[in-house]
Structures are given as C-alpha cells and as structure tokens.
Amino acid sequence: MATLDRTLGRPLPELWRRHRSFVLYQLIGASGALLDLLLFLALYNAAGVHEQVAAAISTSVGIANNFLLNSYLNFRKRDGMLRRFVRFYTVGLLGLALVAVLLLVFHSWLGVDANIVKVVSMPIVAVLQFLVNKRWSFK
C-alpha cells in the first residue's frame, strides 16, 4: 500500500518518465490491434476471405506495425533489426496460433460468431505477447 501511495503522490513528469515505455507499448499495441481488427473485419466480412486467412493477414500487418513503431518510437533500438523482428514476429505468430485455435474451437466447432471470437481473443493475446516481447524481443 505504501508503494501505491508513493506512486500516486509523484508528479506527472516523474510517472511518465518511469512508465513511458509501458504506456507507449500499450498505445502502439492498441494501434496495431485496431489495425488488425479493422483489416480482419474488412477481409472476412466485406471481401469474404476465410476467417483463418483473414486472421493471418490482419495479424501479420498488426505485428509489422507494432514492431516498427516500438523499434523507432518506444524502445528506440535499431541495432539487430532483423534479429529483433524475427523474435517479435515469432511472438506474434504464437499469438496468431492462439487466435487460430480459438477460432477453430469457438467458431468452427461451437458456432460462436468469428467476429466475437476475434474481439475476445485480442486482450488475451496482447497480455501474453507483452510479457514475452518485453523479456525477449526488446531486451
């Protein structure tokens, strides 16, 4: 509780300095998630692309968006870009695999609307990816 009291009592610039990376990671993640979702909805609903293919394409675009923005704006690490991208994309593919399994189970087998499955899966995947990327991709 004392830690919480000290954190809340800090001036805003101090909080920003201390938590800047986390806040930017979340904002960048939100932009990628929104891009992912909008592209998925367009591909699946408007273009009639199969839900698994639409998820693969939209997730890949979101991953690339997040990697570039995190590399240049957040972590400001431009060394080893290929290695970092491979790690970041690997984490993204693990997220994609989780979404694919969730779509298979809940949409294909249980009949839940694919749009709902995609929206519900996004926060679950985001938390897992943040934890792995923080400790591995941008270490």
Side-chain angles (χ1 to χ4, degrees), residues 14-139:
E14 165 80 11
L15 285 172
W16 173 250
R17 185 187 59 73
R18 186 174 179 124
H19 301 290
R20 175 191 171 280
S21 181
F22 176 76
V23 171
L24 284 177
Y25 188 91
Q26 297 308 316
L27 291 173
I28 289 167
S31 77
L34 182 60
L35 179 60
D36 176 3
L37 178 61
L38 292 175
L39 186 55
F40 175 82
L41 294 174
L43 290 170
Y44 178 69
N45 295 308
V49 176
H50 187 274
E51 70 269 4
Q52 296 287 1
V53 175
I57 293 168
S58 67
T59 301
S60 292
V61 171
I63 291 168
N65 172 79
N66 290 356
F67 174 75
L68 292 171
L69 291 177
N70 271 302
S71 293
Y72 285 94
L73 301 177
N74 190 11
F75 298 108
R76 297 182 180 136
K77 295 197 177 203
R78 293 175 188 90
D79 64 311
M81 289 290 279
L82 181 58
R83 175 181 48 86
R84 289 183 194 285
F85 182 74
V86 168
R87 287 181 177 188
F88 195 86
Y89 201 82
T90 298
V91 174
L93 290 178
L94 293 174
L96 176 59
L98 178 57
V99 171
V101 168
L102 292 171
L103 280 167
L104 178 67
V105 171
F106 289 98
H107 175 66
S108 298
W109 295 351
L110 300 176
V112 177
D113 185 277
N115 298 303
I116 293 171
V117 176
K118 178 66 176 177
V119 169
V120 171
S121 71
M122 291 176 82
I124 297 165
V125 171
V127 168
L128 294 173
Q129 288 177 326
F130 170 74
L131 294 172
V132 175
N133 276 320
K134 180 180 175 186
R135 290 175 174 81
W136 188 46
S137 301
F138 289 103
K139 181 176 149 186

